[in-house]
Amino acid sequence: MKRETSEKERFPLGLYLHVPFCSKTCDFCAFYQVRPTRNVIERYLDGIEAELSLIGQCDSLDTIFWGGGTPGLLLAKDMERLGKTVKKFVGEPVEWSVEMAPGSIKEDKLRILKDVGVTRISMGVQSFKDVFLDGLGRQHSLKQIYKAYDLLRKIGFSSVNLDLIFSIPGQTAEDWEGDLKEAVRLAPDHLSTYCLTFEEDTALYLKLSKGRVSIDEEKEVAFYRKSWEVLPAAGYAQYEISNYAREGHQCVHNINTWRMYEWIGIGPSASEQYKGWRSSNIADEERWYEGLMQGKRAQVERIFLEDRHLCEDALIFGLRMNAGVKLKELEKRFPGVPLSSLSPFFQNLLDEGKMIRGNNGNFCLSAEGRLVADALGLELLNCFGSK
Ligand code: SF4
């Protein structure tokens, strides 16, 4: 069924801008990346301007997120141009995040980002131990992490996130607890903690396939539980399986994405969900640029979003959030979707203690449910006959 959105029920709209530059590939990473030469960066900046011109003015934009790649690899003057270009096309977003790697954080760049309107910096720390940074193939040192963090605080961004990774080969529960406590000691506003995954075509996957490292699911569970114990006790409320925040510092852009609202995606390989369609820009910087120079966006995998698709995804991603899902709201948003078919599934989860009812009537996963959230997502698709 096609969704009709009246003026009254305007849903949030985000802008995701992908900066595909990395100077080296981290051992766990399967993202599309480009090595940044001067020519490529200039072409990229021209391309972003052309892509925004094609999309047109977005005065009602709520959030902006620059992700990568490594946006911080851009020089200060490039960031200034990019920031000014974006500002020509948008109004005043409530949140503007930029991902940065510790080694790329410099005072001149931060000042420009602050001046242009960036409110939130997300820094990829990953670990506070050199041995594990080496194990991930990261290029920054502990010294760079601390220096970068001090600069972020000195410039005064209203929100700072640190990303950490757990279940790194060789990492013990004590190591992980040490990382969590060190992060808490620095007192960022937000923490994201991700379980290491072994994506195909990565250096780590190769090590896994050769038996040089292994996956230990019991250890992963212990690491999850340790995060759930340490971070809330230190004032970081969990609001999603991997995300914790002090009051008022949840990432609005990501929440809107998980609620399956809309976002525009620009830059090579960026994906978007906009005007009822889900699509990705081609993961090829040259072809992305050539398309734009011919007046069109080189989008691939373009899918029209039926209400049922969106509702399924809103349920799967909604259940990964601690606030859970409100069925009444989803019924209103997606009137043709048979949400009643979920009743036996939800009842089973309630009986098994994997689900609880929130005070506001929401359906939320319990801690035990969150540990098996991926499997529950697949079962949920079965209820709609989608799997
Ligand atoms: S993890 Fe980030 S910095 Fe490392 S290669 Fe992937 S995109 Fe680049």
Side-chain angles (χ1 to χ4, degrees):
M1 177 195 270
K2 188 165 183 334
R3 204 152 42 99
E4 285 177 17
T5 310
S6 72
E7 270 306 306
K8 266 194 206 147
E9 48 167 357
R10 188 187 85 77
F11 293 122
L13 177 66
L15 173 73
Y16 176 77
L17 183 149
H18 192 71
V19 187
F21 306 121
C22 296
S23 49
K24 177 184 169 281
T25 306
C26 298
D27 289 2
F28 57 94
C29 182
F31 288 134
Y32 168 71
Q33 306 146 38
V34 183
R35 300 287 170 258
T37 62
R38 197 61 236 156
N39 282 348
V40 170
I41 291 176
E42 292 291 344
R43 190 167 61 191
Y44 167 78
L45 294 171
D46 290 345
I48 290 290
E49 196 155 357
E51 190 161 23
L52 280 167
S53 300
L54 281 177
I55 293 162
Q57 208 61 29
C58 303
D59 291 325
S60 57
L61 204 79
D62 298 278
T63 58
I64 302 176
F65 197 107
W66 291 4
T70 322
L73 277 186
L74 296 173
L75 297 177
K77 64 172 184 172
D78 300 328
M79 286 188 169
E80 186 169 27
R81 180 174 163 200
L82 191 59
K84 284 183 174 168
T85 301
V86 169
K87 277 188 81 170
K88 272 198 283 182
F89 291 91
V90 305
E92 285 291 320
V94 293
E95 179 189 272
W96 184 341
S97 301
V98 176
E99 285 181 345
M100 294 188 88
S104 68
I105 291 183
K106 301 282 179 290
E107 187 159 347
D108 57 347
K109 296 181 191 178
L110 296 184
R111 288 205 184 280
I112 277 166
L113 291 177
K114 184 92 193 324
D115 286 351
V116 93
V118 170
T119 59
R120 182 174 183 273
I121 301 285
S122 177
M123 178 163 82
V125 168
Q126 319 313 0
S127 173
F128 287 101
K129 287 211 159 123
D130 278 324
V131 59
F132 299 125
L133 290 175
D134 288 348
L136 294 170
R138 293 292 295 197
Q139 294 186 77
H140 60 263
S141 63
L142 277 185
K143 208 170 145 194
Q144 285 174 316
I145 292 173
Y146 292 115
K147 196 170 164 208
Y149 187 77
D150 285 347
L151 272 176
L152 292 175
R153 286 316 195 188
K154 179 177 151 191
I155 304 296
F157 288 94
S158 40
S159 220
V160 173
N161 168 58
L162 302 183
D163 275 353
L164 294 176
I165 292 184
F166 61 87
S167 213
I168 304 169
Q171 190 181 34
T172 63
E174 291 71 38
D175 292 324
W176 177 232
E177 187 169 0
D179 273 357
L180 290 170
K181 290 190 168 162
E182 183 56 4
V184 166
R185 189 189 70 76
L186 289 178
D189 307 291
H190 187 285
L191 277 161
S192 298
T193 63
Y194 298 108
C195 185
L196 183 65
T197 52
F198 293 79
E199 307 291 336
E200 273 185 55
D201 297 327
T202 63
L204 260 183
Y205 187 82
L206 197 67
K207 282 187 191 167
L208 182 73
S209 54
K210 288 185 173 169
R212 284 163 52 201
V213 293
S214 57
I215 296 175
D216 183 339
E217 284 178 6
E218 269 181 36
K219 222 159 106 176
E220 285 178 3
V221 169
F223 287 151
Y224 271 113
R225 290 193 194 282
K226 186 53 80 184
S227 320
W228 298 344
E229 174 196 319
V230 172
L231 296 180
Y236 294 89
Q238 186 184 21
Y239 68 100
E240 196 266 349
I241 285 186
S242 305
N243 288 283
Y244 304 78
R246 289 171 150 176
E247 206 179 331
H249 288 278
Q250 298 182 346
C251 179
V252 181
H253 182 88
N254 284 343
I255 290 177
N256 290 342
T257 305
W258 298 325
R259 291 283 180 218
M260 291 297 130
Y261 295 129
E262 295 204 319
W263 66 94
I264 300 164
I266 60 170
S269 85
S271 59
E272 74 175 17
Q273 190 160 288
Y274 187 44
K275 294 190 173 169
W277 291 82
R278 188 177 286 167
S279 52
S280 295
N281 278 349
I282 192 162
D284 181 319
E285 184 272 332
E286 271 187 73
R287 288 173 66 193
W288 164 79
Y289 177 80
E290 279 163 15
L292 292 168
M293 292 306 111
Q294 289 160 19
K296 53 178 189 286
R297 302 176 70 198
Q299 291 185 311
V300 290
E301 297 161 23
R302 205 166 142 73
I303 301 168
F304 177 72
L305 286 166
E306 299 285 339
D307 266 6
R308 206 192 66 191
H309 293 146
L310 266 184
C311 185
E312 283 169 358
D313 288 347
L315 282 160
I316 291 171
F317 285 88
L319 285 173
R320 294 175 68 88
M321 287 193 269
N322 291 51
V325 294
K326 195 188 270 298
L327 292 189
K328 286 242 170 314
E329 234 169 65
L330 291 176
E331 271 164 9
K332 206 168 144 220
R333 201 172 143 199
F334 307 112
V337 180
L339 284 164
S340 54
S341 57
L342 284 177
S343 300
F345 175 55
F346 276 18
Q347 190 55 52
N348 269 347
L349 294 180
L350 289 164
D351 294 344
E352 291 170 356
K354 291 179 183 145
M355 183 173 265
I356 46 175
R357 296 300 297 269
N359 292 338
N360 46 10
N362 285 13
F363 288 90
C364 316
L365 291 185
S366 64
E368 294 314 304
R370 282 199 292 276
L371 285 173
V372 289
D374 289 346
L376 296 184
L378 288 177
E379 283 183 46
L380 192 143
L381 290 179
N382 273 330
C383 299
F384 289 114
S386 297
K387 195 68 190 150

